[in-house]
Amino acid sequence: MTDAAPRLAALAETLLGGPLPVRIRAWDGTEAGPPDGPVLVVRGRRALRRILWKPGELGLARAWVAGDLTVEGDLFELLDRVAGLLWQRDREPAPAPPSSLLGALRPRLPRRVSAAADSAAAAAALLGDPDAREAVRDLVALARPWPAPAPPAEEADRRGGPRHTKGRDRQAISHHYDVGNDFYERVLGPSMVYSCAYWTPGSTLERAQHDKLDLVCRKLALAPGQRLLDVGCGWGSMALHAAREYGARVTGVTLSREQAAYARKRVADEGLADLVEIRIQDYRDVKDGPYDAISSIGMAEHVGADRYRDYARTLHALLRPGGLLLNHQIARPPEADEAAYRVDEFIDAYVFPDGELSPVGTTVGELERAGFEVRDVEALREHYALTLRAWVARLEEHWDEAVALTSAGRARVWQLYMAASALGFERGRLGVNQVLAVRSAARGDSGLPLRLRTWGAQPA
């Protein structure tokens, strides 16, 4: 039978409620859908089984990571075309998909595919859409859904216990960052900065990352001899820049052993060991304040909503009166009902386990409740889209090396994550903000100039 692609296209249009926005090529060589643009390649029935057993984003993500789904052509264009359907273009809350179309029913389903297709009408009812019953019945017949595919090896292990304990945070950080420094070099480039760069016309990625680090230092008004705590110091780029360019004495903390080893080597190679100390340490265990300034760049996303007030209070207590905090953090739009917010399944399973995003207003409010006075908020949303596109270009340029250093699945995780995130920033579904806050002195003195946005002069 050589009709898989037309059947899949018809199924997709029925379930999605509109015309198929991209072309499909199936494992039997057939194609269907618009003739122009990128092609979604369904390499085998296992891709369909993954979607049946785990409907929604996670099933699609598993198929992508495993290589059961691939794209010929521009991945950005394909994601942009399907964004309204698969990447939650509309912000209205949608019913959660069932955990499995087949899992709960499997003991009652006959083994033969034809009988399973007849029973799929009951499974289709889980979708809450009577018009989808025939489509799901055909999908079951086409997929031959047994056995249920195992998740790709790159999926994070199941985690038990409460979120954001110190032990669970160590596991989450290790999953994301301890995948090989050589891999990250291929993606991030020589700067080894894994956060939004600061772009000006004609900038390269390296220049834009340098300018971001310098912007942070100038916002913090760093001067020789001042103590800087860099929370979530990564591979040491911020610590090195602050010590080398501003003469600051820097303590960088990270939970990643691979990051710490890499950062320490960079410190030694640059002869800055007298100014920079890199620790494998939870920020909650830092006890040697007060510091003159704290930078937290791309770290607060790991803190968690329930722990954020403690995070803010901890940093407040580590600063001297008049000390400054620069909090650089990804944000999401507020929900009509914040209790309905759910962590993105793909991101949680493959990228940032236990990561949580908050609206910028929530972040500002928590900092203020901890005793900070917020003095400036700068949105860098478009800058992150440019940064992510540059990282995707580097990954694709060094694809064979990246696969050899980790796995094909891991490279596909980062490719999809960064490409989809770039579109999220471009469409305004994600933001990133630098929040400058001060621990004011007892009498209310901030020590800040009347006009902030000049941020001081760059060092000669």
Side-chain angles (χ1 to χ4, degrees):
M1 185 179 295
T2 57
D3 62 351
R7 290 171 68 187
L8 287 174
L11 290 169
E13 291 181 348
T14 299
L15 295 174
L16 298 175
L20 188 66
V22 297
R23 193 161 185 80
I24 291 177
R25 180 182 304 137
W27 60 90
D28 62 355
T30 57
E31 296 189 15
D36 62 323
V39 178
L40 179 66
V41 182
V42 184
R43 300 177 65 87
R45 299 178 193 273
R46 189 171 61 174
L48 309 183
R49 293 179 194 133
R50 293 190 184 280
I51 296 167
L52 279 169
W53 284 102
K54 196 64 180 176
E57 185 174 297
L58 186 56
L60 288 165
R62 286 175 172 176
W64 173 267
V65 174
D68 300 327
L69 291 176
T70 59
V71 171
E72 288 186 6
D74 189 334
L75 176 60
F76 285 99
E77 183 182 351
L78 182 136
L79 290 176
D80 198 39
R81 288 189 179 200
V82 303
L85 301 172
L86 301 180
W87 299 95
Q88 300 179 344
R89 177 184 59 190
D90 297 323
R91 292 174 180 171
E92 294 299 320
S99 60
S100 168
L101 288 179
L102 298 171
L105 300 174
R106 188 181 179 189
R108 301 190 294 276
L109 288 175
R111 289 182 179 275
R112 291 187 301 112
V113 172
S114 59
D118 292 337
S119 301
L126 293 172
L127 290 171
D129 181 1
D131 294 337
R133 294 179 182 181
E134 191 64 34
V136 173
R137 183 180 289 115
D138 197 25
L139 182 60
V140 171
L142 191 60
R144 301 174 187 171
W146 294 283
E154 292 79 10
E155 189 163 313
D157 294 333
R158 289 186 177 273
R159 289 143 274 157
R163 289 173 177 263
H164 303 297
T165 60
K166 292 178 183 179
R168 183 157 162 170
D169 278 355
R170 281 195 298 273
Q171 293 176 346
I173 293 298
S174 179
H175 173 86
H176 186 78
Y177 293 106
D178 292 340
V179 300
N181 295 326
D182 290 342
F183 170 79
Y184 277 105
E185 283 182 338
R186 301 309 187 275
V187 177
L188 305 179
S191 70
M192 289 298 281
V193 179
Y194 193 25
S195 55
C196 173
Y198 192 66
W199 296 82
T200 54
S203 285
T204 63
L205 176 61
E206 290 306 300
R207 185 70 216 180
Q209 290 292 15
H210 169 277
D211 290 349
K212 187 273 299 296
L213 297 176
D214 207 72
L215 179 66
V216 171
C217 290
R218 287 185 283 125
K219 286 184 176 183
L220 291 172
L222 291 181
Q226 287 191 330
R227 298 188 72 206
L228 169 68
L229 175 64
D230 187 28
V231 179
C233 66
W235 293 273
S237 299
M238 175 63 194
L240 288 165
H241 188 92
R244 183 197 318 114
E245 304 298 333
Y246 289 84
R249 294 184 292 126
V250 188
T251 299
V253 296
T254 177
L255 295 178
S256 167
R257 294 188 176 277
E258 290 196 21
Q259 284 186 332
Y262 191 96
R264 287 167 178 165
K265 184 177 186 305
R266 295 177 75 188
V267 169
D269 289 347
E270 292 203 29
L272 292 171
D274 58 330
L275 290 177
V276 180
E277 178 188 8
I278 303 295
R279 303 175 185 168
I280 301 172
Q281 187 177 35
D282 194 293
Y283 74 94
R284 290 165 282 195
D285 294 329
V286 177
K287 305 298 182 184
D288 60 346
Y291 286 86
D292 299 293
I294 297 176
S295 54
S296 178
I297 306 172
M299 179 272 178
E301 297 88 340
H302 297 286
V303 169
D306 293 341
R307 304 273 182 171
Y308 203 92
R309 192 166 301 178
D310 291 337
Y311 160 82
R313 287 171 174 167
T314 297
L315 300 190
H316 185 270
L318 285 167
L319 280 171
R320 64 166 175 81
L324 292 167
L325 165 69
L326 192 288
N327 189 81
H328 176 119
Q329 183 177 345
I330 298 172
R332 61 171 173 83
E335 300 280 354
D337 175 12
E338 279 294 309
Y341 169 66
R342 295 291 181 269
V343 176
D344 181 280
E345 283 190 299
F346 167 58
I347 300 296
D348 189 54
Y350 287 96
V351 186
F352 288 109
D354 293 343
E356 296 178 60
L357 301 182
S358 296
V360 64
T362 300
T363 297
V364 168
E366 293 294 355
L367 291 173
E368 290 180 331
R369 290 184 185 93
F372 282 105
E373 180 185 2
V374 173
R375 298 301 299 255
D376 187 79
V377 179
E378 184 174 7
L380 302 176
R381 177 170 66 82
E382 293 85 356
H383 293 259
Y384 219 155
L386 292 169
T387 305
L388 286 156
R389 282 183 175 269
W391 287 342
V392 171
R394 282 193 56 85
L395 174 60
E396 292 177 349
E397 179 184 355
H398 299 281
W399 185 262
D400 291 342
E401 296 170 81
V403 168
L405 289 166
T406 53
S407 68
R410 182 70 63 192
R412 284 193 286 266
V413 166
W414 257 248
Q415 183 187 33
L416 178 60
Y417 154 62
M418 294 189 298
S421 296
L423 292 172
F425 284 104
E426 290 169 358
R427 285 172 170 251
R429 287 168 180 78
L430 293 171
V432 62
N433 305 280
Q434 288 190 349
V435 179
L436 182 68
V438 61
R439 176 178 175 170
S440 295
R443 295 179 59 184
D445 299 332
S446 70
L448 294 171
L450 292 177
R451 296 182 63 190
L452 284 177
R453 281 294 176 104
T454 56
W455 303 124
Q458 295 191 41

